[in-house]
Amino acid sequence: MPSNFDQPWPVRDDLRIREVKAIVTAPQGIPLVVVKIETTEPGLYGLGCATFTQRWKAVQTFVDEHLARLLVGRYPGDIGDLTRLASYSGYWRGGPVTNNSISGIDQALWDIAGKRAGMPVYELLGGKVRAAADTYIHASGQTIEDTLDHAQKLIAQGWRHIRLQMSTPGGGGYGAPRVPTLYPDSPYHNGWSARDYLRTTPELFAEARHALPDNIELLHDVHSRLTPKEAVLLARSLEPYRLFFLEDVLAPELWDRLPEVRAASPVPLAVGELTTSFGDAVRLIRDGGVDFIRSHVSDIGGLTPARKLADLAEISGVRTAWHGPGDTSPVGAAANVALDVTSVAFGIQEGHIYDEAVHEVFPGTLRIEDGWLRPNDAPGWGIDVDLEAAARYPAELSGHDEWAAGVRRIDGALEAP
Ligand code: GCO
Ligand code: MG
């Protein structure tokens, strides 16, 4: 009895998918998930990023138990059909677990396609429109002085785009360490205060503009903790400091209010790392809420939807700034750079310095040079995985989920991550 999972049409050769498996490893202490698809041709396999650090076990199970059986026996060249099959077979679609699992499949199939064509993925996408991707990097500290010292060090290493994050009394501040509270008698004395944040952030950027070279681009990540009015107040207060972009001024639950924030201030808004469907990201662009789209490529399903998003950004006057800190695998970082160098809409690429242990597990991991990222020219992604090395860095149930749900206000109310 033919099954819907059989090869639905004749294909040009008898290459088939033989095995699909999620590999989980944490060489930098951050759980990374990469899907490996083996084919019936010995030695021909592909790798795809499926990294959802906070729920890596769910993705591993989703890939190994739910998706693998749909794909084994299929022709690996039918990328679009196979990713749609993976999506529709669950009926209810979208969400970070589903999309990261599908991204692992999608990107592994693009890797195989490149290897079969003898071409790097960026050439499969139509080739370069730029030689390399400019990157930004994170500087943070407990005080203005600490934060700017960190920024100066990064500038000396060649970066021209620096994201500044400074602690606020009590709960730290996204990406910056905790500092002594101003509210020892409050119900939750390590709490985070939006009013302190709104007061101290402009002070940081005023000092940064004074202390740092004028050509340095400054970025900042609010991390979703303001009301629409507070977002307007913050953006307006930062206008004198020429930010390259201001990120995540509103939580996903308030994204429909972004256009009013964007209209109230010329400060460019970057939103999107929290998109968990292709549709989320399309609406951010289409409804005029963003100047930069920041999706985490594997969270929206991989390279296939992301390249469509880059084209939509191009015709909408929006630029890309794919999410890419340490909870993106080196394969995901390679997919980001393939998009960066082939998209007219490219804006900036979030950079991350991987530990040498990551380079050991994933030979071919891209390295940032003078602030620039260039794709590998080897076929596919040009990245491999050393399974023995990967096994030396087992993933824990990530402390990153405690981090994500770790911010409370001084009254104890949990703050959106
Ligand atoms: C960023 C992001 C990250 C996220 C992290 C969540 O702009 O780089 O905000 O730092 O917080 O990826 O796991
Ligand atoms: Mg962010």
Side-chain angles (χ1 to χ4, degrees):
M1 172 69 175
S3 144
N4 279 346
F5 303 146
D6 294 339
Q7 185 59 35
W9 43 67
V11 287
R12 64 189 175 99
D13 63 33
D14 58 2
L15 184 70
R16 293 295 180 270
I17 291 171
R18 178 171 61 80
E19 183 182 65
V20 179
K21 188 149 185 61
I23 298 161
V24 185
T25 181
Q28 198 160 343
I30 301 172
L32 304 176
V33 186
V34 168
V35 172
K36 182 175 185 181
I37 295 183
E38 301 263 13
T39 71
T40 47
E41 179 181 321
L44 177 59
Y45 57 85
L47 299 177
C49 183
T51 297
F52 180 6
T53 285
Q54 290 80 356
R55 293 292 180 265
W56 59 267
K57 222 181 233 305
V59 173
Q60 183 179 36
T61 302
F62 199 109
V63 170
D64 293 355
E65 305 299 329
H66 289 291
L67 293 189
R69 64 192 235 284
L70 308 182
L71 307 172
V72 170
R74 283 295 306 269
Y75 177 63
D78 293 336
I79 301 175
D81 186 63
L82 290 167
T83 50
R84 284 155 58 83
L85 180 74
S87 172
Y88 295 156
S89 54
Y91 190 66
W92 278 275
R93 298 179 291 271
V97 174
T98 301
N99 284 338
N100 274 287
S101 303
I102 291 172
S103 167
I105 306 299
D106 176 78
Q107 293 181 6
L109 295 174
W110 276 102
D111 196 13
I112 292 167
K115 289 178 177 178
R116 296 183 77 201
M119 295 164 78
V121 171
Y122 73 79
E123 279 198 14
L124 296 182
L125 298 177
K128 290 181 179 179
V129 297
R130 67 189 79 260
D134 210 348
T135 65
Y136 75 90
I137 202 81
H138 302 177
S140 66
Q142 292 198 348
T143 63
I144 290 177
E145 186 184 1
D146 289 351
T147 306
L148 298 185
D149 281 353
H150 188 185
Q152 294 279 22
K153 289 186 178 71
L154 295 168
I155 293 166
Q157 291 168 27
W159 270 279
R160 294 162 299 284
H161 297 74
I162 311 283
R163 190 191 78 176
L164 302 179
Q165 305 292 138
M166 182 180 70
S167 299
T168 55
Y174 160 58
R178 184 170 290 187
V179 292
T181 180
L182 294 182
Y183 311 96
D185 303 326
S186 65
Y188 190 77
H189 66 275
N190 270 334
W192 184 84
S193 152
R195 301 307 291 177
D196 286 339
Y197 172 76
L198 291 171
R199 177 174 49 78
T200 58
T201 302
E203 293 170 358
L204 166 65
F205 283 91
E207 192 50 42
R209 270 296 167 229
H210 175 71
L212 302 178
D214 216 30
N215 67 318
I216 297 298
E217 297 292 352
L218 301 177
L219 303 83
H220 181 66
D221 190 348
V222 179
H223 232 255
S224 300
R225 298 180 187 159
L226 301 180
T227 64
K229 178 63 71 175
E230 289 168 342
V232 172
L233 287 171
L234 178 68
R236 297 297 296 269
S237 71
L238 293 174
E239 285 177 12
Y241 311 120
R242 289 183 291 107
L243 264 66
F244 185 80
F245 70 49
L246 181 62
E247 181 182 356
D248 278 355
V249 290
L250 296 180
E253 296 76 13
L254 294 172
W255 279 349
D256 60 327
R257 303 288 298 275
L258 281 168
E260 77 189 61
V261 180
R262 192 161 168 251
S265 168
V267 175
L269 299 185
V271 180
E273 73 180 46
L274 283 166
T275 52
T276 55
S277 72
F278 178 59
D280 278 353
V282 167
R283 281 183 289 277
L284 279 176
I285 293 175
R286 192 189 55 202
D287 298 348
V290 295
D291 299 284
F292 290 85
I293 186 68
R294 278 274 294 140
S295 292
H296 180 100
V297 165
S298 61
D299 267 330
I300 61 169
L303 181 73
T304 299
R307 64 189 298 226
K308 297 173 185 174
L309 202 60
D311 291 343
L312 175 63
E314 178 184 344
I315 60 178
S316 308
V318 168
R319 290 190 283 169
T320 64
W322 306 113
H323 182 253
D327 51 358
T328 302
S329 75
V331 178
N336 284 344
V337 176
L339 287 162
D340 294 340
V341 298
T342 57
S343 307
V344 171
F346 171 74
I348 192 75
Q349 177 57 52
E350 182 169 15
H352 176 72
I353 307 292
Y354 289 107
D355 284 2
E356 284 311 306
V358 176
H359 290 269
E360 176 199 358
V361 174
F362 295 102
T365 295
L366 301 179
R367 292 182 189 272
I368 300 175
E369 293 168 4
D370 295 326
W372 297 94
L373 271 172
R374 292 171 176 81
N376 288 321
D377 285 328
W381 302 121
I383 294 179
D384 203 347
V385 60
D386 178 332
L387 295 178
E388 282 178 26
R392 288 201 290 274
Y393 303 100
E396 306 292 327
L397 275 179
S398 161
H400 220 68
D401 43 6
E402 290 162 30
W403 169 89
V407 181
R408 292 183 180 274
R409 296 200 168 204
I410 58 176
D411 63 4
L414 199 55
E415 189 55 59

